Amino acid sequence: MTCGKRLLVAAAALGLCLLPAVADAAGPVGEFGESRARVRLVTDTTEIEPGSTSYLGVVFEIEPGWHIYWRNPGGAGLATDIQWQLPEGFEAGDLQWPLPIAFTQSEGIPGYGYEGSVVLAAEVRAPLDYDAKRPHQIRAKVSWLACRGVCVLGAAELEGSLAALPVDQEAFRGREEDLPRAADPGRPPFSVTTTGGFADGRLSLWLHWPTEPRLVEWFPDPSDALRVEEISVQTRGDLTRIDAVVRPLENATGATDRLDSLVVLTGPEGGRHGWELVVDLDDENP
Amino acid sequence: MKNSIKHTMIWIVVLALLCAVPATAGKAVAVGEKAPGFILTDSAGEEISLSDFEGKVVVLEWLNPDCPFVQRHYKAGTMKDLAAKFGTQGVVWLTINSTKYMDAAANAKFKASNHLSYPILVDQSGEVGHLYGAMTTPHMYVIDGAGQLVYIGAIDDDPRGNKDAPITNYVAAALDEVLAGKAVTTTETKPYGCSVKYKK
């Protein structure tokens, strides 16, 4: 090999070494595209009548190994977002978030989100003067952050005529089971005792279950006014202890007297069930 | 008798859970506290200590060039423009990269390609990142002339980069107030961005 060829080989080898780490970590761009997730707009029915309700949803199909984020992304990340643009008179309810999973984003940084596939949907009510003969265009501006060690931002504008949207019963099948039960009507199968609070900066929740649970997880809701960190969930027998450091942000402007959260139980068969849990942080009753 | 055994068992479980104090990652710094000192080497191999800038207002910016939030702000010139604007008023801008896989060469490359006037400190061990509790890139800290932390959090109030309303840059606001000798109004916000890619 001549000196010049050796230099070329060395330069090529060096070039390979200098390839950005992000390319290696992210892996090649495949069928899910650079944003690492495919999205599509679906509904549960196109049979709309005046005042009737239906569901509009965005199906996220996430590249294996990657995740997107729940409404509280955890210590870092970005909540997935859908902004609906509906025809005049239509009203969309809050986005409904299926039970998230927990993962570690990096040492000491928790993350909450979804892997595989998820449907984020909202209930939509048609106006009382709905006229099926008129065109009704639906638009959804969707944005998400997908991560697998490295992160990529994704965005899409999905659009379709209400009468011609794909009806995807499969996307909505079993949906009720995937959603958390509301705090009151879904009276949870556990009793709660709260200790600690703002005074010592540490909050402890004790959940007492009627039978020994297989796995219990806890997900605090996003808050502009509170910091919830150093979360630990331990279950022994029929007792679960949830610890967290909870404190108001300096100069917080939002509500600091309550913390919305989600308790998720994995049953003996592996099925997951969730309940909303409001924690009263009032100083008088921490 | 049976009841007595049952109660004993319950108390054993309660005591076991009480004793199992969760491991904590160490207390992160807080607004109003003295900024902890550190010494790091920058991308050019020069040792830089926070104490080198005693008496000066210092901004710490956590960075990872692979993070899309950082890329957006560098494309827009957010950090560079702030560093230049406030640099003329004596503010020191230090960027810290705690990404486990980014060595001095990787940081030097980013600094050169972005024509940065301020140093990038290499923290591959994550020691300083953990010391400050840096969670995201970017994650911003403002230290006043007395060495106290006066702002911790996001760079601005536009995580998605698509806000229609006027954007509030929290670091600029904090610096304006500090330099005017006023108390900082917004001292803490929730940072946004990619997680800091710490070494395990």
Side-chain angles (χ1 to χ4, degrees), chain A residues 48-264:
Chain A
I48 309 293
E49 294 171 7
S52 72
T53 57
S54 59
Y55 279 98
L56 285 177
V58 174
V59 179
F60 293 79
E61 292 171 312
I62 306 155
E63 185 168 326
W66 292 72
H67 57 252
I68 63 171
Y69 290 90
W70 186 52
R71 60 182 182 236
N72 177 5
L78 186 72
T80 304
D81 186 56
I82 300 174
Q83 298 292 327
W84 302 109
Q85 289 177 17
L86 304 177
E88 196 179 336
F90 279 76
E91 287 178 5
D94 291 339
L95 204 58
Q96 297 180 348
W97 300 81
L99 304 179
I101 57 164
F103 45 84
T104 299
Q105 304 199 54
S106 182
E107 191 193 342
I109 306 176
Y112 311 129
Y114 305 102
E115 292 175 350
S117 69
V118 66
V119 184
L120 300 185
E123 192 177 49
V124 173
R125 183 177 295 277
L128 293 173
D129 62 354
Y130 172 74
D131 179 358
K133 289 175 193 149
R134 286 171 48 202
H136 295 92
Q137 198 69 1
I138 304 289
R139 190 171 293 150
K141 289 176 78 172
V142 189
S143 63
W144 67 93
L145 181 72
C147 296
R148 189 194 72 173
V150 292
C151 299
V152 291
L153 280 164
E157 289 201 19
L158 308 174
E159 197 172 356
S161 162
L162 185 58
L165 281 183
V167 176
D168 190 339
Q169 295 291 359
E170 192 58 38
F172 294 94
R173 185 164 294 135
R175 183 167 175 75
E176 291 297 317
E177 282 299 304
D178 289 340
L179 293 173
R181 289 161 213 191
D184 288 332
R187 191 168 285 281
F190 51 82
S191 57
V192 187
T193 308
T194 309
T195 58
F198 285 152
D200 62 0
R202 184 169 286 280
L203 176 76
S204 294
L205 303 172
W206 300 75
L207 311 185
H208 193 181
W209 301 87
T211 55
E212 191 172 323
R214 180 170 155 187
L215 174 69
V216 179
E217 298 167 286
W218 186 64
F219 301 87
D221 263 64
S223 169
D224 290 331
L226 294 169
R227 285 198 79 147
V228 185
E229 295 170 332
E230 299 177 33
I231 296 167
S232 151
V233 182
Q234 299 168 87
T235 299
R236 302 256 173 98
D238 56 4
L239 266 186
T240 297
R241 175 183 169 178
I242 301 167
D243 285 280
V245 171
V246 181
R247 65 173 181 84
L249 284 177
E250 294 279 336
N251 302 331
T253 51
T256 57
D257 58 351
R258 61 179 270 163
L259 172 62
D260 293 332
S261 68
L262 187 62
V263 172
V264 177

Side-chain angles (χ1 to χ4, degrees), chain B residues 31 57-59 82 86 91 140-144 149-155 168-189:
Chain B
V31 168
V57 177
V58 178
V59 176
L82 279 184
F86 288 101
V91 173
M140 309 300 298
Y141 298 75
V142 178
I143 303 166
D144 70 8
L149 285 152
V150 291
Y151 174 74
I152 300 176
I155 179 72
T168 299
N169 188 300
Y170 297 121
V171 173
L175 288 173
D176 278 333
E177 289 174 328
V178 167
L179 293 171
K182 295 178 186 168
V184 173
T185 308
T186 302
T187 52
E188 189 180 17
T189 59

Side-chain angles (χ1 to χ4, degrees), chain B residues 29-99:
Chain B
V29 295
V31 168
E33 290 179 359
K34 188 162 175 59
F38 59 83
I39 301 172
L40 285 172
T41 304
D42 76 0
S43 59
E46 190 184 336
E47 209 168 70
I48 292 180
S49 168
L50 182 63
S51 62
D52 295 343
F53 310 105
E54 209 173 311
K56 294 197 170 183
V57 177
V58 178
V59 176
L60 303 181
E61 171 211 344
W62 256 265
L63 165 120
N64 173 0
D66 285 342
C67 171
F69 296 89
V70 171
Q71 290 164 358
R72 171 163 67 80
H73 281 297
Y74 270 86
K75 195 175 171 188
T78 311
M79 316 302 185
K80 232 172 112 170
D81 292 349
L82 279 184
K85 177 186 170 189
F86 288 101
T88 60
Q89 297 171 70
V91 173
V92 175
W93 195 283
L94 301 175
T95 294
I96 300 175
N97 189 344
S98 299
T99 310

